[in-house]
Amino acid sequence: MKFCKQVVDTYLKSCHWGENESGSAYAPANIALCKYWGKRDHELNLPMTDSLSISLGSYGSHCTISLSNQDAYVLNGNTMEKDSPFAQRLRDFLDLFRGAAGYHYRVEATNTVATSAGFASSASGFAALVLALQQLHGWDLNPRVLSIFARMGSGSASRSLWNGFVHWHAGTLPDGSDSFAEPIPSDWKTLRVGLLTIDAGRKVLPSREAMNRTVISSALYASWPQQVQHDLITLQQAIAVKDFDILGACAEQNAMAMHATMLAARPPVLYWQSATVAALHSVWRARSDGLRLYCTMDAGPNVKLLFTADCQDAVCEQFPEMQVANPWVQ
Ligand code: 2P0
């Protein structure tokens, strides 16, 4: 994290470091409609390509951070083991923000999404943490810098600072100063995301490892940047004119293409379970029966549904266990 520290220091050197009692923030999880899959820099989490997401409203992370004698991390009411991989990752991240005083922190986070099951809890968690840090110390950093900070915790966290549609620019600079996310203005308030939990347990392979393995060993990865280039334009146009069928079809195809790159990795990465395949067939059957319903999937077995508010009752009938996110309402 040496280079991350240098980058963070350049942004923080002009900030006044206050000592409020605590900082608290909420950030929504997000689901990519055009996926981030592959890094060009592993330390700074710089992506190979742009990506575009939709936020999950009330599904996300609450985070409170306060100054303490020693670091302590509490997730969903449970104190994390100091040596657990996630505590280590959090400690490394907080090392970037200890300032000249060498602060220690108590972090309490609560997720309203399943943890580590492809529902983007690390995205909302790191975004909420960065917002809470800014509040604790009273920094006045703009959202672009906060997005850059969140990205260093988890790439997809760069997109979790806003409601609605968000575009993460890959950037080209080695220090990542042009790799940040920003919201795409839209008042498409009828769009909904359905969350189908197939398995809320820990995933078989962390997405970070799956992504790296795909880049290194999948022959299909060579075509991924062209796929993204095409899908980004299609999605931006669909958002501009609120064309749901074009948006849904593009997002679904993008997800399938990402999973195809994983299947071609060595050894292959397959997150799908039999219930995942059954859910995909249900979506496709419902669509061929006339329901305007599309789906996407991330690095896990769960399925996310895309539909508009007028179809919610019909979708709920097909998938009674689904949770519904309104991307514009926290
Ligand atoms: C995404 N995913 O765009 C893609 C699609 C999963 C599949 O971003 O290594 O936890 O922390 O930068 O952000 C999940 O990967 O990875 C992810 P790191 P992250 O949402």
Side-chain angles (χ1 to χ4, degrees), residues 289-313:
D289 290 344
L291 189 60
R292 294 171 71 214
L293 176 66
Y294 297 86
C295 61
T296 181
M297 288 185 60
D298 293 292
N302 300 314
V303 176
K304 291 93 183 190
L305 304 176
L306 300 168
F307 54 92
T308 48
D310 55 314
C311 294
Q312 186 164 327
D313 290 347

Side-chain angles (χ1 to χ4, degrees), residues 10-289:
T10 59
Y11 291 111
L12 286 178
K13 68 171 185 266
S14 54
C15 284
H16 169 73
W17 288 65
E19 291 183 2
N20 292 321
E21 203 165 299
S22 64
S24 287
Y26 171 80
N30 74 78
I31 298 293
L33 302 176
C34 180
K35 309 292 184 186
Y36 149 50
W37 199 242
K39 302 180 199 219
R40 69 171 199 278
D41 182 297
H42 295 263
E43 192 194 326
L44 293 164
N45 288 334
L46 298 179
M48 293 281 199
T49 68
D50 288 23
S51 58
L52 191 156
S53 63
I54 183 136
S55 291
L56 294 187
S58 63
Y59 293 95
S61 304
H62 297 272
C63 178
T64 297
I65 184 162
S66 46
L67 299 177
S68 177
N69 291 334
Q70 53 177 16
D71 274 23
Y73 313 135
V74 181
L75 179 62
N76 294 329
N78 302 313
T79 302
M80 267 186 235
E81 294 283 341
K82 278 196 173 60
D83 300 328
S84 70
F86 197 74
Q88 182 62 51
R89 189 166 154 195
L90 204 48
R91 195 160 40 243
D92 288 347
F93 183 71
L94 287 169
D95 283 348
L96 304 172
F97 305 101
R98 299 197 191 276
Y103 292 116
H104 291 281
Y105 298 111
R106 177 180 174 81
V107 178
E108 288 176 68
T110 318
N111 290 330
T112 57
V113 279
T115 303
S116 289
F119 278 154
S121 56
S122 67
S124 53
F126 280 106
L129 177 57
V130 165
L131 291 169
L133 269 166
Q134 157 127 305
Q135 207 184 88
L136 175 74
H137 290 300
W139 302 325
D140 57 354
L141 297 166
N142 62 44
R144 186 175 288 196
V145 175
L146 296 179
S147 173
I148 286 171
F149 285 0
R151 189 240 301 142
M152 293 178 194
S154 197
S156 52
S158 66
R159 303 186 307 236
S160 261
L161 296 167
W162 301 274
N163 287 337
F165 297 107
V166 179
H167 182 176
W168 175 12
H169 304 275
T172 55
L173 298 173
D175 70 353
S177 54
D178 57 351
S179 183
F180 55 85
E182 58 187 359
I184 301 173
S186 167
D187 64 345
W188 196 352
K189 299 288 154 72
T190 55
L191 202 64
R192 297 288 180 271
V193 182
L195 307 176
L196 282 184
T197 304
I198 304 289
D199 184 347
R202 202 150 277 277
K203 50 185 141 188
V204 286
L205 188 70
S207 53
R208 195 165 274 200
E209 286 172 40
M211 175 183 315
N212 296 342
R213 188 190 296 174
T214 303
V215 174
I216 293 166
S217 69
S218 171
L220 296 188
Y221 191 76
S223 65
W224 179 248
Q226 286 110 283
Q227 168 97 34
V228 169
Q229 216 174 8
H230 174 270
D231 291 349
L232 264 183
I233 293 169
T234 304
L235 288 168
Q236 283 166 329
Q237 288 171 346
I239 291 166
V241 298
K242 298 186 189 156
D243 188 320
F244 175 69
D245 290 306
I246 291 185
L247 178 114
C250 182
E252 186 174 298
Q253 209 274 321
N254 183 274
M256 296 301 130
M258 177 186 72
H259 282 274
T261 68
M262 289 185 219
L263 259 185
R266 291 183 214 179
V269 180
L270 179 60
Y271 285 110
W272 301 13
Q273 297 179 6
S274 46
T276 309
V277 177
L280 294 180
H281 282 296
S282 297
V283 170
W284 296 330
R285 202 176 316 115
R287 193 158 75 230
S288 70
D289 290 344

